[in-house]
């Protein structure tokens, strides 16, 4: 991870860890850098950068600050307004933008925000470019063969402009609709949009495909994103699906790059379930390229057992859909994702896309003529407990000798009946302690034993 940018962008509390000045500075660099890349190729046209944002109150502040920096450096800023992260990736790719920016803190509370950078291929920005952004923020930029104490401002007619580009978001909606292979008529669907970026998109797609939709989390006010709704608070969607007799429910996070499902009985369908259901579907159709599904180290033991029984191979990457996509791209895989609901269908998208995931799950249900509970039934999930502990220093907490000794002790105790995983969050000052075992009580006791050592060593924030 970089000095400012983690696995999923530059994220922090608005105007505390991430300020309006930071956004302006990022805009200044991007506008100048992509312009300079063009100029070195003899192209004097203004760089084109597309921007989306979620529904946080601070997103407007960061958008305007970012735009100020971009146009001051000579770039033209195209505004999608409130939209999803995958829509920015889609528009950046198909409309041939130099890069894209999404202003969001995903599943974090409203007072946090973030800046995600996307390259012209619709992929998460490469580490080399991100490192240059960080160098500029720190005031020691060296690129194009020289050191830059400051980068030049654009002047006269070279100053950039802003362009209302809501048409790009509308084309993305049309693209999603085009991926629906079956009519959703007669299917009752619950949609939880987390009071976030999908609130004005998801229903449009499902309605166009013929579903009967009931929504929640579609009243954003700037401070209620992810507040008791969305994929991190799926219990309310579970209740709604059961009470209203729905066939299925889908819950998104704040920027809608992830999706979790709820089956007709109100049971949560995790990212692992989604990988199994769609992987098996593609395997049976003879369309699972390389017969491989890409997972992360956080996927459940039960998923791998179910894959083994289905004759499906799998790969494991570090946590982060960025790493999943990199592996998929390098090894020509078409399906990968995370337990948390970041699912990548590389035939259709370059990032996780919650609404696309919903459409593909509907496709399997309709093609198989089965309920979601039936599709998921062969997958038996091992009990798992995950504890997030906020710490003062993630690296120190993990590398502390007493913490490491305790983790090794737990691993030895579990043997072949389970596993322990301790890792730091890429987006928060958090260490995650996860245990899988044959029963929930064992998981809970072993997680607590590790967390207690972390606390006793004085790392708890």
């Amino acid at each position: 991870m970089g000095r400012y940018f983690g696995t999923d962008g530059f994220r922090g509390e608005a105007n505390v860890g991430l300020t309006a000045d930071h956004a302006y500075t990022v805009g200044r660099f991007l506008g100048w850098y992509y312009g300079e890349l063009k100029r070195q190729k003899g192209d004097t046209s203004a760089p084109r950068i597309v921007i989306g944002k979620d529904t946080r109150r601070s997103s407007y502040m960061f958008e305007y600050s970012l735009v100020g920096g971009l146009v001051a450096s000579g770039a033209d800023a195209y505004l999608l307004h409130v939209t999803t992260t995958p829509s920015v990736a889609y528009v950046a790719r198909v409309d041939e933008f130099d890069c894209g920016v999404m202003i969001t803190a995903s599943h974090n509370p409203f007072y946090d925000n973030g800046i995600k950078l996307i390259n012209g291929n619709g992929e998460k920005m490469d580490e080399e470019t991100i490192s240059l952004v960080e160098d500029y923020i720190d005031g020691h930029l060296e690129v194009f063969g020289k050191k830059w104490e400051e980068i030049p401002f654009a002047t006269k007619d070279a100053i950039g402009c802003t362009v209302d580009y809501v048409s790009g978001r509308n084309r993305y909606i049309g693209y999603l609709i085009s991926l629906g292979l079956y009519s959703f008529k007669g299917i009752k669907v619950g949609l939880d949009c987390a009071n976030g970026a999908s609130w004005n998109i998801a229903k449009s797609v499902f309605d166009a495909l013929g579903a009967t939709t009931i929504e929640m989390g579609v009243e954003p006010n700037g401070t209620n994103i992810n507040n008791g709704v969305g994929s991190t608070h799926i219990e309310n969607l579970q209740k709604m699906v059961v009470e209203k007799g729905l066939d299925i429910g889908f819950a998104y996070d704040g920027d809608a790059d992830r999706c979790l499902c709820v089956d007709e009985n109100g049971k949560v369908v995790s990212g692992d379930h989604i990988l199994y259901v769609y992987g098996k579907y593609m395997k049976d159709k003879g369309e699972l390229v390389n017969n491989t599904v890409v997972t992360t180290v956080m996927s459940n033991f039960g998923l791998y057992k179910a894959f083994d029984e289905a004759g499906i191979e799998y790969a494991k990457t570090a946590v982060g859909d960025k790493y999943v996509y990199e592996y998929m791209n390098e090894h020509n895989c078409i399906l990968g994702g995370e337990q948390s609901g970041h699912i990548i269908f590389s035939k259709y998208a370059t990032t996780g896309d919650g609404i696309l995931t919903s459409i593909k799950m509907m496709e399997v249900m309709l093609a198989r003529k089965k309920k979601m509970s039936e599709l998921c039934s062969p997958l038996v999930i091992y009990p798992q407990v995950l504890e997030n502990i906020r710490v003062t220093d993630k690296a120190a907490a993990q590398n502390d000798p007493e913490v490491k000794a305790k983790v090794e002790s737990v691993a030895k105790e579990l043997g072949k009946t389970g596993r322990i995983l301790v890792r730091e969050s890429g987006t928060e000052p958090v260490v995650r302690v996860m245990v899988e075992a044959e029963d929930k009580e064992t998981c809970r006791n072993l997680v607590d034993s590790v967390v207690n050592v972390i606390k006793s060593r004085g790392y708890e924030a």
Side-chain angles (χ1 to χ4, degrees):
M1 291 182 290
R3 286 154 279 162
Y4 300 96
F5 287 80
T7 56
D8 212 13
F10 185 168
R11 194 176 296 185
E13 184 175 345
N15 277 344
V16 180
L18 172 64
T19 69
D21 286 343
H22 284 131
Y24 176 77
T25 303
V26 170
R28 281 277 287 132
F29 175 81
L30 293 176
W32 170 80
Y33 177 71
Y34 283 99
E36 190 63 25
L37 286 176
K38 287 189 164 198
R39 286 186 286 274
Q40 295 205 359
K41 296 177 182 178
D43 182 352
T44 59
S45 65
R48 300 164 64 251
I49 296 175
V50 63
I51 303 171
K53 65 175 182 285
D54 69 17
T55 57
R56 296 163 209 272
R57 177 174 293 177
S58 62
S59 289
Y60 292 88
M61 172 183 72
F62 288 119
E63 179 185 50
Y64 298 150
S65 299
L66 186 69
V67 167
L70 288 169
V71 300
S73 289
D76 292 342
Y78 289 69
L79 306 183
L80 295 174
H81 306 289
V82 173
T83 193
T84 65
T85 292
S87 74
V88 177
Y90 171 80
V91 172
R93 173 170 55 91
V94 301
D95 289 350
E96 299 182 340
F97 280 90
D98 291 287
C99 74
V101 184
M102 179 66 185
I103 300 163
T104 182
S106 188
H107 60 280
N108 285 25
F110 84 91
Y111 47 78
D112 288 344
N113 216 323
I115 298 173
K116 292 185 181 183
L117 302 183
I118 297 167
N119 68 22
N121 296 320
E123 304 160 338
K124 291 191 175 180
M125 191 70 76
D126 62 277
E127 294 296 334
E128 182 179 354
T129 303
I130 286 175
S131 181
L132 291 174
V133 177
E134 293 177 326
D135 287 346
Y136 180 60
I137 293 172
D138 285 339
H140 51 76
L141 177 64
E142 186 171 351
V143 66
F144 303 124
K146 62 178 288 188
K147 293 181 179 180
W148 301 82
E149 291 186 9
E150 186 50 85
I151 57 178
F153 284 97
T155 59
K156 300 185 174 137
D157 61 350
I159 294 172
C161 67
T162 59
V163 180
D164 188 301
Y165 209 58
V166 70
S167 60
R169 184 184 68 192
N170 292 340
R171 279 200 310 282
Y172 166 74
I173 293 172
Y175 173 66
L176 289 178
I177 294 168
S178 75
L179 298 179
L181 301 184
Y182 297 88
S183 169
F184 295 172
K185 187 176 181 180
I187 308 295
K188 295 179 289 184
V189 181
L191 299 173
D192 182 349
C193 297
N195 290 319
S198 64
W199 81 275
N200 59 356
I201 296 178
K203 181 175 171 57
S204 298
V205 173
F206 276 82
D207 285 352
L209 290 169
T212 300
T213 56
I214 298 179
E215 293 181 290
M216 63 188 302
V218 289
E219 298 179 350
N221 62 15
T223 62
N224 63 358
I225 188 171
N226 302 314
N227 186 8
V229 287
S231 59
T232 52
H233 298 280
I234 201 167
E235 61 277 0
N236 291 311
L237 179 61
Q238 291 176 272
K239 182 179 179 181
M240 185 175 82
V241 167
V242 173
E243 289 182 349
K244 297 188 179 296
L246 306 183
D247 297 300
I248 192 165
F250 299 106
Y252 311 116
D253 62 340
D255 64 332
D257 63 352
R258 72 168 74 176
C259 169
L260 294 179
C261 310
V262 173
D263 72 17
E264 75 283 359
N265 299 315
K267 186 175 180 180
V268 174
V269 176
S270 71
D272 283 349
H273 289 92
I274 293 168
L275 291 174
Y276 172 76
V277 168
Y278 197 75
K280 181 71 163 54
Y281 173 61
M282 296 302 287
K283 165 83 171 178
D284 292 347
K285 291 176 66 179
E287 297 178 7
L288 185 60
V289 178
N290 293 331
N291 193 41
T292 299
V293 175
V294 183
T295 71
T296 77
V297 293
M298 289 297 289
S299 283
N300 192 275
F301 268 9
L303 175 62
Y304 301 124
K305 183 177 180 181
F307 277 157
D308 288 339
E309 292 173 353
I312 296 173
E313 297 177 7
Y314 45 85
K316 298 180 184 179
T317 75
V319 174
D321 60 333
K322 172 181 180 178
Y323 304 115
V324 172
Y325 178 75
E326 287 176 355
Y327 187 97
M328 293 174 68
N329 197 36
E330 183 178 347
H331 295 88
N332 192 32
C333 299
I334 64 167
L335 177 64
E338 298 186 280
Q339 186 185 62
S340 61
H342 284 118
I343 310 297
I344 300 174
F345 302 88
S346 64
K347 183 178 178 179
Y348 309 104
T350 53
T351 64
D353 187 328
I355 301 173
L356 171 60
T357 299
S358 305
I359 293 170
K360 303 314 285 185
M361 287 297 95
M362 293 288 288
E363 177 184 329
V364 180
M365 287 175 58
L366 291 164
R368 298 287 204 196
K369 296 181 171 60
K370 288 185 177 181
K371 298 176 180 179
M372 184 54 66
S373 63
E374 297 176 279
L375 294 170
C376 294
S377 61
L379 172 57
V380 179
I381 295 294
Y382 273 52
Q384 180 186 87
V385 170
L386 172 65
E387 185 80 16
N388 297 323
I389 176 169
R390 296 184 76 85
V391 293
T392 53
D393 187 321
K394 293 183 285 190
Q398 284 184 270
N399 294 320
D400 183 280
E402 291 190 25
V403 174
K404 292 176 71 174
K406 186 61 182 177
V407 172
E408 291 171 4
S409 172
V410 169
K412 185 176 180 180
E413 181 179 342
L414 286 168
K416 295 182 179 181
T417 66
R419 65 167 180 155
I420 180 170
L421 180 66
V422 179
R423 53 171 289 270
E424 65 182 62
S425 167
T427 58
E428 300 175 87
V430 163
V431 168
R432 309 191 195 283
V433 181
M434 186 273 287
V435 170
E436 288 174 347
E438 294 178 328
D439 64 85
K440 196 83 169 184
E441 184 178 359
T442 299
C443 295
R444 181 75 267 169
N445 291 339
L446 293 177
V447 165
D448 287 346
S449 70
V450 174
V451 169
N452 288 338
V453 173
I454 293 174
K455 290 180 178 179
S456 70
R457 298 290 291 167
Y459 295 110
E460 185 178 20

